Amino acid sequence: MHKASVDNRTRVLNAARELLQTRGINAFSHRDLAERVGIKSSSVHYYFPTKEDLGVALIRSYQHELTEFFEATATLPTVIERLTRFCGLFEGTAKAGGRLCLAGMLASDFATLGPSLQSEVRAFFQLVEAWLAAQAALSKPERSPAANADLSQLAFSLLEGVLLSARVFDDPDRTRRAARHIQQLFGSPSV
Amino acid sequence: MHKASVDNRTRVLNAARELLQTRGINAFSHRDLAERVGIKSSSVHYYFPTKEDLGVALIRSYQHELTEFFEATATLPTVIERLTRFCGLFEGTAKAGGRLCLAGMLASDFATLGPSLQSEVRAFFQLVEAWLAAQAALSKPERSPAANADLSQLAFSLLEGVLLSARVFDDPDRTRRAARHIQQLFGSPSV
DNA sequence: GTCTATAAGATGATAGAC
DNA sequence: GTCTATCATCTTATAGAC
């Protein structure tokens, strides 16, 4: 059961992820994907009948990877370290050709999405904010749940926003300054 | 020299602004604009030959209004008040049907823009951050220029980002929580 | 799975009449 | 200024052969 190389479905997904994060869902076509993968656009339709299907598959795989990230970093000793890693994801995104977060891009395209894709985007935001709120609670147990929720929204909004300016100014380092601020917000390390 | 009503050029600009802030520049057409204004798409081309022309006109008028805002609020006695007003602009944007900042939306469409439009977006970001840095300097004169620049980037990124989540959760109040945080960051009122 | 062929409709844009 | 007419191209698909 060894895969010598990625199958075309995965190749389409990878190409689509890059195009979505750089151009937005309304600025690339099945043909663009087909050309990058080296197949015909009808073959793209074979894997993802509609663009909505493609979008849903994209955010689900993105969310899946995030879940794996959460599991992998759960064993780290401090909130500080987990937060550093998390912010590092955004730094990597900014450095990858000025991409945006896939969910953030879909949020900016929100009004053009079908209901099922909108739900997925909302679920992704909720997942991130819930994790951040949990980290905030761990970091300073004396902080109220409302304050933790506030903090998590603040941190995620800041990271999404900084990707926009990082791309406009071609300056991925902006993500690190945002990360530093978030670390300060979450306060002194504990758990 | 009295204008009884707005001319069609202005009507096109207004319709385009709403469509750009809600759908992004790649998700509306000259036909969409024409239908909303009640003219034909060729008439839209008369005012704005290319979409790039339209985009440039949109951000220039947006920036012009911001400049007027800066002038109008320059007389306010405190940084706190000016900052409150500024954040109020974003609250209004979120409440206007979950719009994004026009420049923020163009930032997310950045990779699909022509060079002239990209320059305009960059200039807009610079204008905002320069103003915010100036407010930071006024607020706490003992703060370093680098810290002021940091703060201004942070504040603008946060406001841009919170518009994304405000729209995803259909919750414009998120902008107010962001505003509160920004006020705290800028510190105690002075000038 | 991947292809060719095809379709209906949208899109950005232009020419020329009024 | 606004229109009709037209254009080449793109877009999202679908049908059916291999």
Side-chain angles (χ1 to χ4, degrees):
Chain A
M1 207 63 87
H2 51 114
K3 307 179 192 169
S5 63
V6 261
D7 58 15
N8 278 343
R9 185 180 189 276
T10 306
R11 272 192 272 259
V12 169
L13 234 28
N14 289 340
R17 181 183 288 196
E18 196 213 313
L19 282 169
L20 180 49
Q21 289 187 258
T22 53
R23 301 179 57 88
I25 202 160
N26 299 301
F28 71 91
S29 68
H30 284 80
R31 267 184 170 74
D32 294 321
L33 294 172
E35 280 169 19
R36 295 192 179 217
V37 175
I39 55 178
K40 293 296 171 179
S41 70
S42 53
S43 297
V44 178
H45 279 284
Y46 169 76
Y47 294 114
F48 309 101
T50 71
K51 219 177 183 184
E52 181 91 353
D53 294 324
L54 176 61
V56 168
L58 282 169
I59 191 152
R60 282 196 184 151
S61 85
Y62 201 69
Q63 181 168 336
H64 181 70
E65 288 174 26
L66 183 68
T67 303
E68 287 180 335
F69 170 88
F70 287 158
E71 286 167 5
T73 53
T75 57
L76 290 177
T78 66
V79 169
I80 286 277
E81 284 178 70
R82 288 192 286 277
L83 226 41
T84 299
R85 296 279 198 101
F86 181 73
C87 294
L89 295 176
F90 289 79
E91 188 183 348
T93 301
K95 282 183 173 163
R99 294 196 196 194
L100 298 190
C101 164
L102 190 139
M105 183 63 95
L106 287 175
S108 83
D109 292 333
F110 205 70
T112 72
L113 308 179
S116 62
L117 193 38
Q118 288 189 339
S119 300
E120 296 283 345
V121 175
R122 214 176 285 118
F124 186 93
F125 270 65
Q126 274 161 350
L127 177 68
V128 172
E129 291 188 352
W131 184 82
L132 283 168
Q135 301 308 310
L138 285 171
S139 177
K140 277 197 174 178
E142 67 273 25
R143 202 159 26 203
S144 74
N148 290 332
D150 254 41
L151 211 48
S152 75
Q153 293 179 17
L154 227 53
F156 191 37
S157 292
L158 177 57
L159 287 167
E160 292 291 343
V162 83
L163 287 179
L164 288 173
S165 70
R167 117 183 305 200
V168 165
F169 291 114
D170 190 22
D171 180 15
D173 277 356
R174 282 174 170 243
T175 55
R176 282 203 298 202
R177 291 198 281 279
R180 210 178 311 138
H181 182 67
I182 289 171
Q183 295 286 9
Q184 286 168 358
L185 277 181
F186 274 62
S188 50
S190 55
V191 178
Chain B
M1 204 64 88
H2 51 116
K3 307 179 192 171
S5 62
V6 260
D7 57 15
N8 279 344
R9 184 179 190 278
T10 307
R11 271 191 273 257
V12 169
L13 233 29
N14 289 339
R17 180 183 288 198
E18 195 212 314
L19 282 168
L20 179 51
Q21 289 187 259
T22 53
R23 301 179 57 88
I25 202 162
N26 299 302
F28 71 91
S29 67
H30 285 80
R31 269 185 170 74
D32 293 323
L33 293 172
E35 280 169 20
R36 294 191 179 217
V37 175
I39 56 178
K40 294 296 171 179
S41 70
S42 54
S43 297
V44 177
H45 279 284
Y46 169 76
Y47 294 114
F48 309 101
T50 71
K51 219 178 183 184
E52 180 91 352
D53 293 326
L54 175 61
V56 168
L58 281 169
I59 191 151
R60 283 199 182 148
S61 85
Y62 202 68
Q63 181 169 336
H64 180 71
E65 288 174 26
L66 182 68
T67 303
E68 287 181 337
F69 170 88
F70 287 159
E71 287 168 4
T73 53
T75 58
L76 290 177
T78 66
V79 169
I80 287 277
E81 283 178 71
R82 288 192 285 277
L83 226 41
T84 299
R85 295 279 198 101
F86 181 72
C87 294
L89 295 176
F90 289 80
E91 188 182 348
T93 300
K95 282 183 172 161
R99 293 195 195 193
L100 298 190
C101 164
L102 190 139
M105 182 63 96
L106 287 175
S108 82
D109 293 333
F110 205 69
T112 73
L113 308 180
S116 61
L117 193 37
Q118 288 188 340
S119 301
E120 296 284 344
V121 175
R122 215 176 284 118
F124 186 93
F125 270 65
Q126 275 161 350
L127 177 69
V128 171
E129 291 188 352
W131 184 83
L132 283 168
Q135 302 307 311
L138 285 170
S139 178
K140 276 196 174 179
E142 68 273 25
R143 203 158 27 202
S144 74
N148 290 331
D150 254 42
L151 211 48
S152 75
Q153 293 179 18
L154 226 55
F156 191 37
S157 292
L158 177 57
L159 287 167
E160 291 292 343
V162 83
L163 287 179
L164 288 173
S165 70
R167 117 183 305 201
V168 165
F169 291 115
D170 191 22
D171 180 15
D173 278 355
R174 282 175 170 244
T175 55
R176 283 202 296 201
R177 292 198 281 279
R180 210 177 310 136
H181 182 67
I182 289 170
Q183 296 286 9
Q184 288 168 358
L185 277 183
F186 274 62
S188 50
S190 53
V191 179

